[in-house]
Amino acid sequence: MGVNWVSAWLIKTPAGPVLIDTVHEPFVDQLIANIKACGVNPADLKMVFVTHGHFDHCGGMKRLKEIAPKARFVMTKRGWDEANVDAKRTHQGGRNSFTMIPQDLVAKDGDTFTFGNFVMTVLETPGHTWGTASYVYPVRDGNKTYRAITVGGLGLNAITGPDQVGAYIDTVKRIRRMVQDPVNPISVHLSAHPFSNGLMEKRFLLPHTDRSTPHPLVAPQAFVKELDVMESNAMKRLAIEKARKA
Ligand SMILES: [Zn+2]
């Protein structure tokens, strides 16, 4: 539902629509129009899962709450705190001004939210920020079900020191183990930043009608490569941060 820079993912669960992330101004009108274009009334949103407290992921929360007053909003405790700090920063002359909503639901690692037979699982994945969450959920192509993830933060742009880079590396390793899990692997990465893994190009391959071929978004090997690049960039950054601290 989002734009090339930042995503929002709409999921039609059996118990109503839920959303991951909210984009930011001036794109919230576009988000709302995109939700409607999928045949969903934004007022019917049941829950909005937010990955982390940066303006580009939570900048649309306030307007969505106005449109969907019954919707619940989910972040980690630290995510809520970071969002309040970021909103305050933008009010002190920072760019991309946004206003936070009051704290709503607080999610912890391993928490699940159930909507009929659809289950959303929360992972606390510190690294991009300390409070970043990722979300794991089932997706369907025809009668096949896959496990998807929206990784909450990809960049090393908000790093405050070597400890945080260490947490980032641990998070990347944890997600890679889940992609390589022999029993119930994650094989779809619905990215929080679509430009980062070619999603804007892949959308021209949709809808996927020839089910004898793999779905273009079911790409575990490409996802492992993404994670490898993230880890090697983080290793370089770790050396820089350690040298800075020394
Ligand atoms: Zn961010």
Side-chain angles (χ1 to χ4, degrees):
M1 302 295 112
V3 293
N4 184 37
W5 160 247
V6 64
S7 336
W9 294 98
L10 177 71
I11 305 160
K12 295 175 180 174
T13 83
V18 303
L19 192 70
I20 301 176
D21 276 349
T22 70
V23 309
H24 61 101
E25 297 296 3
F27 303 118
V28 182
D29 283 335
Q30 182 70 57
L31 167 72
I32 291 164
N34 290 348
I35 292 171
K36 287 180 182 164
C38 290
V40 170
N41 180 351
D44 294 338
L45 283 172
K46 291 276 177 295
M47 210 167 271
V48 179
F49 297 92
V50 180
T51 58
H52 67 285
H54 283 155
F55 77 94
D56 47 339
H57 303 264
C58 53
M61 287 169 90
K62 187 168 177 288
R63 281 190 57 204
L64 282 179
K65 190 175 168 60
E66 286 161 9
I67 293 168
K70 286 189 198 135
R72 303 300 304 266
F73 291 77
V74 180
M75 290 181 92
T76 68
K77 177 71 187 90
R78 214 150 169 184
W80 284 106
D81 294 344
E82 288 167 349
N84 285 321
V85 169
D86 204 39
K88 210 169 274 173
R89 173 190 66 78
T90 70
H91 292 164
Q92 290 160 348
R95 291 166 60 224
N96 299 303
S97 170
F98 75 102
T99 299
M100 269 305 283
I101 62 169
Q103 182 174 306
D104 193 2
L105 297 176
V106 172
K108 294 189 306 295
D109 193 73
D111 281 355
T112 55
F113 294 85
T114 302
F115 305 86
N117 63 2
F118 175 93
V119 179
M120 179 71 90
T121 303
V122 182
L123 303 182
E124 287 189 71
T125 50
H128 173 64
T129 70
W130 284 108
T132 295
S134 299
Y135 295 102
V136 176
Y137 46 99
V139 288
R140 261 204 338 260
D141 178 37
N143 55 14
K144 279 191 189 149
T145 300
Y146 300 94
R147 208 168 175 218
I149 188 168
T150 297
V151 179
L154 306 167
L156 294 158
N157 51 305
I159 293 296
T160 54
D163 293 353
Q164 195 185 344
V165 186
Y168 181 103
I169 292 167
D170 289 346
T171 284
V172 170
K173 287 181 173 162
R174 180 186 184 193
I175 295 168
R176 187 167 42 217
R177 282 197 299 275
M178 294 175 81
V179 178
Q180 294 172 333
D181 184 324
V183 180
N184 190 16
I186 288 173
S187 55
V188 180
H189 179 207
L190 299 183
S191 177
H193 288 289
F195 73 89
S196 70
N197 69 343
L199 281 175
M200 297 307 266
E201 292 76 19
K202 281 185 181 170
R203 94 198 131 121
F204 295 111
L205 303 172
L206 303 176
H208 176 238
T209 46
D210 176 8
R211 297 229 161 91
S212 65
T213 62
H215 191 287
L217 300 185
V218 179
Q221 276 140 6
F223 187 23
V224 166
K225 272 189 201 150
E226 272 181 69
L227 293 164
D228 289 347
V229 170
M230 286 168 73
E231 185 179 353
S232 82
N233 288 340
M235 292 303 289
K236 286 178 208 145
R237 181 64 177 266
L238 186 60
I240 292 166
E241 293 294 331
K242 277 184 174 163
R244 190 175 289 159
K245 212 182 174 187

